[in-house]
Each structure stands twice: as structure tokens, then as C-alpha cells.
């Protein structure tokens, strides 16, 4: 992978990680379109640059992370389903990362859901925090995002709204939950493949994480304001358009595989 492609992938990660459009799906699409060859390092890179996005959450919400033990226990409870299921299905999940058809279908179906999500879950303002049972349920919603194209952000936000959180509350809890989830995914992938990393790869990883961090900061700030004001419809229509475009290209014989 060239440094140029690494920077573009990092920009894509930073822009889409916290939006309900699937960062993994977009990176798979880009890799397929530009012909980035499949390798252990490519898979490592697309997972490891999430670390830059983790730092952006910690910087923006640093005061929220200086809270009571209760806050961390709830994050741990929400994180557990993904930790267990992700560990058990790791090889299967890796195989899905190579399938653009799966991405196209999940983008399309997820887009339809986002268009109607505000009608399905009515917003009722509440002034109390997420409970432990709610945190666990949101954690199970997050597991759906192991399918490429689903979007971890969309799954957890929908899970939060299903528990009665407002759009803003659900989005922020999704950001918080991203920290242990992405840290575990990045660390586990690095542990499995660190022996294959070459000296030049280290530079690419560092630059990629730096770019993802900066872009992630901007994306989070913009997303919360936009979501609070306008809701999910724009993201839903975008997902549908992109999913249909991919299916159309594949139907026309364009080869979109990694």
C-alpha cells in the first residue's frame, strides 16, 4: 500500500467512523476501486487507524471520561457482547471484509432503516444516564456492525434510541463505546500480525492514525450538531444511493473485489 492510498483511507476512516454510513464499507469500496492488493498489512491498517479516532473521542470528551467508576462499568457492560462475539467469529468477520456484495446490500438495507428511524423511535427527553440493562442491550446492537456495511455508529445509535435515548444522547454514548471497542479491535489485530510489519509499514501506520485523528475531531463536532438538527434521513438516502450504485456496477460486470 502506498502512502497516498494510506492517507486517503485514513481520511475516509476519520470522516465515516462516527457517521451512520459504515467506515469499513467505505474503505472496502475505495480499496476495491483503486486496486489495493489484499495483504495482512492492508487488513491491519484498516483496523488499526481506528486508534486515531479513539484519541479524537478522548480529546473532545475528556471531561466525560473523568467521571465515576459507574461510567466505566457501563461502558464495560456494553463492550462485552462485541468482545465475546468478535473473538469467537474473528475469522468469519475477516472473510466478510473481502466481500463488496455484502457491503452493498447492508448499505442499502441500513439506509432504508435510517429514513424511518425517527418515526420508529420517538424522542422523549430524559435527564438520567444510561442504565446497566440499557448499556448491555446497546452492546448487542453493536454486534450487528460486525457485518461490513452496517456501521458501528448506526447500530449503536439505533440501539440507544431503542432504549429511549434522544439522538444526541445515543450518538454520544456511541462515541464513548467506540473507545473500548476500537481499542480492543486495533490491539487484537496488531497482536496477531505485528511480526509481519516491515519498517516502512510503521511510518504508514503512524501517519494514518494522525490523519484519522485530525479528521475524526472535525467529523464528531459536525455530526452531533447536524444529527440533532436534521436527523438521519440524509444519511439514509446516501446509503441507499451508494448501495444501488455498487449493485449496479456489479450487475454491469464491473469487478469490485479485493
Amino acid at each position: 500500500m502506498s502512502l497516498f492510498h494510506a492517507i486517503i483511507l485514513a481520511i475516509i476512516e476519520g470522516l465515516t467512523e462516527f457517521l451512520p454510513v459504515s467506515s469499513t464499507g467505505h474503505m472496502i469500496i475505495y480499496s476495491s476501486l483503486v486496486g489495493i492488493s489484499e495483504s495482512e498489512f492492508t487488513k491491519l491498517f484498516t483496523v488499526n487507524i481506528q486508534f486515531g479516532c479513539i484519541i479524537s473521542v478522548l480529546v473532545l470528551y475528556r471531561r466525560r471520561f473523568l467521571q465515576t467508576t459507574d461510567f466505566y462499568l457501563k461502558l464495560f457492560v456494553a463492550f462485552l457482547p462485541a468482545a465475546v462475539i468478535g473473538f469467537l467469529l474473528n475469522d468469519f468477520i475477516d472473510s466478510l471484509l473481502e466481500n463488496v456484495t455484502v457491503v452493498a446490500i447492508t448499505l442499502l438495507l441500513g439506509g432504508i432503516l435510517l429514513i424511518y428511524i425517527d418515526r420508529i423511535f420517538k424522542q422523549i427527553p430524559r435527564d438520567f444516564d444510561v442504565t446497566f440493562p440499557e448499556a448491555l442491550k446497546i452492546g448487542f446492537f453493536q454486534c450487528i456492525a460486525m457485518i461490513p456495511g452496517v456501521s458501528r455508529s448506526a447500530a449503536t445509535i439505533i440501539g440507544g434510541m431503542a432504549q429511549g435515548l434522544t439522538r444526541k444522547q445515543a450518538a454520544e454514548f456511541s462515541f464513548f463505546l467506540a473507545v473500548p471497542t476500537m481499542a480492543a479491535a486495533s490491539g487484537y489485530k496488531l497482536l496477531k500480525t505485528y511480526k509481519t510489519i516491515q519498517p516502512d509499514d510503521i511510518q504508514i501506520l503512524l501517519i494514518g492514525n494522525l490523519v484519522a485523528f485530525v479528521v475524526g475531531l472535525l467529523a464528531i463536532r459536525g455530526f452531533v450538531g447536524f444529527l440533532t438538527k436534521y436527523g438521519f434521513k440524509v444519511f439514509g438516502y446516501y446509503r441507499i444511493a451508494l448501495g444501488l450504485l455498487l449493485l449496479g456496477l456489479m450487475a454491469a460486470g464491473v469487478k469490485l473485489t479485493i
Side-chain angles (χ1 to χ4, degrees), residues 129-199:
D129 202 0
V130 177
T131 65
F132 280 100
E134 287 173 345
L136 182 62
K137 291 174 184 176
I138 294 172
F140 278 108
F141 269 89
Q142 179 173 241
C143 294
I144 303 172
M146 291 177 185
I147 304 172
V150 169
S151 169
R152 191 206 62 82
S153 177
T156 50
I157 290 173
I158 291 171
M161 292 180 68
Q163 310 313 310
L165 301 182
T166 63
R167 288 194 295 255
K168 182 178 180 181
Q169 289 172 326
E172 289 187 340
F173 190 79
S174 173
F175 300 157
F176 304 151
L177 182 54
V179 173
T181 303
M182 294 194 299
S186 299
Y188 181 68
K189 194 69 176 179
L190 185 61
L191 187 64
K192 282 187 64 179
T193 59
Y194 75 94
K195 292 182 180 179
T196 66
I197 298 176
Q198 303 299 314

Side-chain angles (χ1 to χ4, degrees), residues 101-159:
T101 303
V102 171
V103 173
I105 293 173
T106 52
L107 280 171
L108 180 61
L109 296 178
I112 294 171
L113 178 60
L114 285 181
I115 290 175
Y116 295 101
I117 198 67
D118 287 321
R119 297 182 188 178
I120 298 173
F121 302 117
K122 301 296 183 181
Q123 287 201 80
I124 302 175
R126 51 185 270 186
D127 56 3
F128 59 92
D129 202 0
V130 177
T131 65
F132 280 100
E134 287 173 345
L136 182 62
K137 291 174 184 176
I138 294 172
F140 278 108
F141 269 89
Q142 179 173 241
C143 294
I144 303 172
M146 291 177 185
I147 304 172
V150 169
S151 169
R152 191 206 62 82
S153 177
T156 50
I157 290 173
I158 291 171

Side-chain angles (χ1 to χ4, degrees), residues 36-99:
I36 296 176
S37 60
E38 178 192 349
S39 67
E40 283 300 321
F41 177 72
T42 300
K43 290 182 178 181
L44 168 65
F45 182 85
T46 56
V47 174
N48 186 262
I49 55 172
Q50 293 176 341
F51 186 75
C53 290
I54 294 171
I55 302 302
S56 68
V57 175
L58 293 175
V59 169
L60 283 176
Y61 290 96
R62 54 191 177 277
R63 292 184 179 177
R64 295 292 296 272
F65 280 90
L66 297 175
Q67 296 191 27
T68 61
T69 306
D70 187 69
F71 172 77
Y72 291 97
L73 287 175
K74 288 174 182 175
L75 286 185
F76 177 73
V77 168
F79 163 71
L80 273 179
V84 175
I85 295 175
F87 177 77
L88 294 176
L89 300 180
N90 180 68
D91 291 339
F92 175 68
I93 294 168
D94 265 358
S95 69
L96 291 179
L97 293 177
E98 304 167 17
N99 196 320

Side-chain angles (χ1 to χ4, degrees), residues 218-245:
L218 300 175
I220 292 174
R221 286 176 172 171
F223 175 55
V224 173
F226 185 93
L227 183 65
T228 302
K229 188 174 183 179
Y230 298 106
F232 292 100
K233 282 189 176 180
V234 171
F235 301 107
Y237 289 127
Y238 171 76
R239 288 178 63 110
I240 291 172
L242 183 58
L244 289 175
L245 175 61

